[in-house]
Amino acid sequence: MAVSDGVVKKIILSYTYVAIWIFLSFTVIVYNKYILDRKMYNWPYPISLTMIHMAFCSSLAYLLVRVFKLVEPVSMSRDLYLRSVVPIGLLYSLSLWFSNSAYIFLSVSFIQMLKALMPVAVYSIGVLVKKEVFKNEVMANMVSISLGVAVAAYGEAKFDAWGVTLQLLAVAFEATRLVLIQILLNSKGISLNPITSLYYIAPCCLVFLSVPWLIMEYPTLRDSSSFHLDFLTFGTNSTCAFALNLAVFLLVGKTSALTMNVAGVVKDWLLIAFSWSVIKDTVTPLNLIGYGLAFLGVAYYNHSKLQALKASEAQRKAQQADEEAGRLLEEREGERKNENHN
């Protein structure tokens, strides 16, 4: 009975972490759309919004790591920081900038459909840099996801080429960042949780974003006499963005990255439904057919990943069992030799 209760408790906690992550991810996406969209809050400055997030998150991360010491910093040399963290920070800043910019031109629902290309981008870049092995079956799966997204794009009622370009660039930069994390950090045995990630990467993003901000957005904001920073709106928006990072830490730490991928698919459907019913974005039947195809491709990809993880885990356990059996055999052989010797 105790074991049964423990299993039930674990399942309830896992679903709680998933629900928290979905709620916060949903809130941040809709909140960003509300701020940036010209028909809503009408503050179309994506670089400024991203910089506010990064300044807020880096400040809180600094307090948690250095002042309150709730999180241990990672031992990192200056050389490792410049070679590994700085390129990752550059890619992250570009990904956030272009992703936030897309909200000005595209609907929330269509952006979620385009984000279904993330596994395609990650796998393709992984193959290019030889972190993934090319397999015809996986590539066929990637093509099916791409075709689904293409059908969804063809059926988009308010298709905007510039917005699509921005979102595709955001996906490409984010995929490259994820692959680089594997190559530059994980290969060196460095693991960053969301707090330490923000502590090291957010200030770096802030510096990179300041260059295009000074050229593209600062002159307009400076000349706008009506501009004033709404601390309630931007403060709550930044708090949600920071809370989302904590939720990622909880979800991945207590479950797995695969669980987050599966939860992400549920969140995308919820966002599409919300975009259609509340924001009144147009979602066409062809949109849904295309995204349905992409969704099936992503679901199959996640299933394949899960099967590969299970196989790897079974192989690891079998190897451990063989090693344990070998040690026992050696010990018994040693004992027998001692007995014969005596």
Side-chain angles (χ1 to χ4, degrees):
M1 189 66 187
V3 173
S4 176
D5 287 346
V7 170
V8 169
K9 187 179 177 183
K10 190 175 180 181
I11 290 169
I12 291 170
L13 278 173
S14 294
Y15 277 106
T16 303
Y17 296 137
V18 167
I20 290 169
W21 178 79
I22 287 175
F23 172 75
L24 286 169
S25 183
F26 185 100
T27 303
V28 168
I29 288 168
V30 173
Y31 210 158
N32 286 354
K33 172 67 175 175
Y34 166 74
I35 289 171
L36 294 164
D37 197 297
R38 295 181 193 278
K39 295 175 186 174
M40 298 184 200
Y41 189 80
N42 191 24
W43 201 70
Y45 303 105
I47 306 175
S48 301
L49 183 65
T50 309
M51 287 181 73
I52 290 168
H53 287 173
M54 290 297 102
F56 185 86
C57 290
S58 57
S59 301
L60 273 185
Y62 180 84
L63 287 172
L64 291 171
V65 174
R66 290 295 178 190
V67 179
F68 299 113
K69 301 188 186 298
L70 295 175
V71 181
E72 281 291 317
V74 175
S75 178
M76 189 180 298
S77 66
R78 182 187 294 271
D79 182 62
L80 181 61
Y81 183 84
L82 292 173
R83 287 173 179 270
S84 302
V85 174
V86 169
I88 290 167
L90 173 62
L91 290 166
Y92 192 39
S93 62
L94 291 170
S95 168
L96 291 171
W97 170 16
F98 291 134
S99 181
N100 282 334
S101 298
Y103 286 112
I104 299 171
F105 305 97
L106 303 175
S107 67
V108 169
S109 55
F110 187 42
I111 284 173
Q112 300 317 120
M113 293 174 191
L114 291 173
K115 283 182 179 178
L117 287 170
M118 186 60 76
V120 180
V122 171
Y123 179 72
S124 302
I125 293 165
V127 169
L128 282 173
V129 298
K130 298 183 179 176
K131 284 298 289 183
E132 294 275 1
V133 179
F134 179 86
K135 293 178 182 175
N136 289 328
E137 183 189 352
V138 180
M139 188 47 73
N141 183 204
M142 298 298 109
V143 170
S144 71
I145 295 170
S146 303
L147 284 173
V149 173
V151 171
Y154 183 76
E156 176 60 18
K158 295 176 182 176
F159 185 90
D160 186 286
W162 178 238
V164 170
T165 302
L166 287 169
Q167 185 54 49
L168 292 179
L169 283 170
V171 168
F173 285 127
E174 180 62 11
T176 309
R177 182 182 78 90
L178 293 173
V179 173
L180 268 191
I181 286 172
Q182 280 185 300
I183 296 169
L184 299 176
L185 295 180
N186 294 357
S187 62
K188 294 180 173 65
I190 292 173
S191 178
L192 297 177
N193 64 47
I195 303 298
T196 49
S197 290
L198 289 173
Y199 176 74
Y200 289 108
I201 294 171
C204 192
C205 289
L206 203 55
V207 171
F208 281 122
L209 287 168
S210 65
V211 177
W213 179 75
L214 285 168
I215 299 166
M216 299 170 69
E217 292 185 4
Y218 172 69
T220 309
L221 289 168
R222 181 193 58 204
D223 298 339
S224 174
S225 57
S226 61
F227 170 71
H228 69 283
L229 194 63
D230 185 339
F231 287 101
L232 179 63
T233 300
F234 292 103
T236 51
N237 179 247
S238 298
T239 302
C240 288
F242 185 78
L244 178 59
N245 279 280
L246 296 182
V248 170
F249 178 52
L250 270 177
L251 185 60
V252 176
K254 302 296 182 182
T255 56
S256 68
L258 196 63
T259 303
M260 194 173 84
N261 286 343
V262 174
V265 173
V266 175
K267 178 207 70 181
D268 290 345
W269 280 111
L270 287 172
L271 277 164
I272 289 167
F274 180 86
S275 178
W276 170 72
S277 61
V278 179
I279 304 177
K280 303 298 180 185
D281 285 332
T282 305
V283 179
T284 66
L286 205 54
N287 272 152
L288 294 176
I289 291 167
Y291 185 65
L293 290 171
F295 162 73
L296 290 173
V298 172
Y300 180 76
Y301 175 76
N302 286 333
H303 172 72
S304 302
K305 281 279 188 185
L306 182 61
Q307 295 305 110
L309 282 171
K310 283 181 177 177
S312 176
E313 185 66 17
Q315 187 178 3
R316 190 179 63 80
K317 285 181 178 177
Q319 192 175 351
Q320 284 178 342
D322 288 344
E323 287 173 0
E324 188 66 29
R327 278 197 297 271
L328 285 170
L329 199 63
E330 284 176 11
E331 286 172 11
R332 285 175 185 171
E333 194 67 36
E335 287 170 4
R336 194 178 291 114
K337 284 180 181 177
N338 287 336
E339 285 172 7
N340 291 339
H341 181 71
N342 292 334

